[in-house]
Structures are given as C-alpha cells and as structure tokens.
Amino acid sequence: MTNEWAIVVLPEIFGVNGFMQSVVDRLGAKHGVPAVAVDFMYAVTGTHAVYPYTDMEGAHAIAQKVTNEMCMSAFKSAVDTVQAEHPQVTKIVAIGFCMGGRLAYLAGTDQRVQKIISFYGTRPSEAVAALAAARAHSELKVLSFYGGLDTSIPESDRTNTSNVLTDAGIKCQAITYSDAGHAFMNFERTDRYHEQSAQDAQNRLDTFLEI
C-alpha cells in the first residue's frame, strides 16, 4: 500500500482486546501504513473497557446503547486524528468484525473510505442501504466474509447486501466459508476459531488491500 492509505479497525462488542490489537498491529506492519482501532463503546461507558468473552450479556447491554451517530462520530474522530498525525493520508480502509462488520458499511458513508472489509457483519441492512445511497457509482470497493455455519446472519441478509451494493454500482465481493461459523477469525475464541478459513481470509484480505 502507498503512504496515502491508512487502516481503521472496528471491533467486536468486546472492545479493543488482544485479538483486535493484534489485527491492528499485523496490518500496520504488513502493509506499512498507519493502523488504528476505534473504541466505539467509549461514548457509552466513558472508559476504554474490554469485556471478557464469557460476559456476552454485559457486552451486548453496552453495545445496544451505541447509536449509529455515536459510531460515526468515533470513526470520523479516529480518521481526523490519523490525518492530523499523517498529513499524506487521504484514503481509508474500514475493517470490521461482527458489530464492527456492520459498522464498516456505515463508516463507508464517509467519502474518505475507499475500501471496506466486513467480517460477518450482523444486521447489516440499514447500514448497507445508507452506504448504497451515499456512495453509489463511486470507486469504493467492498469485500465481505461470512461463515456458512453462522446462524446470526441469515442467507437473506448476505444476498441482500450483495444485491443492494451491486444495484448501486459499488464493486463488491462476498466470500463464504462453509465449515466456519461466527467469529471464525478470532484465535482467542477457541470454540469459534476456524484456522483454515481464517488463514484463507487473511490472505484474501492482504491481496485486497494491495490492489
């Protein structure tokens, strides 16, 4: 990637934990560009909290209070900070996981975002519709990853995402791993991690960033 790019990572509902920081660190080092994570739940909690995977209920309770407006404010602030520190940056990649996967579509309504990578973004319809309206027939590129065993994202949502973006003239690609479920990228969640799918997705992600 050239120095005009930066990467912004949107995490799962558990916050900017070890896995999310590892994503930021790896992508920044691999591609030689600034990379940061957005703690979009800070607007609710006032702290940079990390929730254990065993506290799904607590994490969900906070996540449900996070509005789209809060998310976009946090995202735009992160991008503004990156650009202030790295004035050469004009193009942003938004990469999100789970709730962050949905918010990556929403982040794409910011004209500075040129690429979106969404991993198993839940309840995406509203965000995808907003993205299609804001960026129709632009140079934006979207790559979506799903686990075929992920019951939290119906096939209808996956199909709708591709159809809406395609109808808007937005270049998009969807990859589904038939043997993987939700959160298959997260090596910290040994009950969810699917190594073969994760490695392939990582390779595809790296290639997508360089084209």
Side-chain angles (χ1 to χ4, degrees), residues 18 25 45 69 71 77 84 87 94 105 108-109 124 139 146 164 169 177:
D25 293 344
T45 64
E69 291 74 20
C71 293
S77 178
Y105 296 127
T109 61
E139 294 301 311
Y146 304 104
V164 169
Y177 297 101

Side-chain angles (χ1 to χ4, degrees), residues 2-179:
T2 58
N3 66 359
E4 63 189 343
W5 288 92
I7 296 170
V8 178
V9 176
L10 301 164
E12 302 170 326
I13 63 173
F14 304 103
V16 185
N17 56 17
F19 168 64
M20 286 301 149
Q21 192 58 53
S22 76
V23 171
V24 171
D25 293 344
R26 191 193 78 82
L27 290 175
K30 171 76 174 178
H31 298 282
V33 298
V36 299
V38 177
D39 185 357
F40 48 76
M41 296 206 286
Y42 179 85
V44 174
T45 64
T47 62
H48 295 291
V50 172
Y51 297 85
Y53 299 123
T54 53
D55 188 15
M56 185 76 72
E57 183 177 349
H60 269 299
I62 298 300
Q64 288 173 355
K65 297 178 182 179
V66 179
T67 66
N68 287 346
E69 291 74 20
M70 289 177 182
C71 293
M72 285 306 298
S73 177
F75 177 80
K76 288 177 181 292
S77 178
V79 175
D80 289 345
T81 299
V82 169
Q83 290 186 311
E85 296 176 354
H86 306 275
Q88 76 278 9
V89 170
T90 58
K91 298 180 180 181
I92 301 297
V93 181
I95 302 179
F97 298 79
C98 186
M99 180 178 178
R102 169 171 59 83
L103 296 177
Y105 296 127
L106 189 65
T109 61
D110 186 316
Q111 300 291 323
R112 293 172 291 185
V113 175
Q114 296 299 306
K115 293 182 181 181
I116 294 170
I117 303 170
S118 173
F119 282 93
Y120 30 84
T122 53
R123 298 181 288 108
S125 298
E126 181 181 351
V128 170
L131 177 63
R135 303 297 299 278
H137 306 290
S138 67
E139 294 301 311
L140 179 68
K141 297 178 181 179
V142 179
L143 178 60
S144 302
F145 290 101
Y146 304 104
L149 303 179
D150 186 353
T151 58
S152 68
I153 307 175
E155 180 62 33
S156 58
D157 279 356
R158 303 173 196 176
T159 302
N160 180 70
T161 294
S162 294
N163 288 345
V164 169
L165 295 179
T166 299
D167 289 347
I170 295 174
K171 297 176 184 177
C172 63
Q173 181 182 10
I175 307 295
T176 300
Y177 297 101
S178 59
D179 295 330

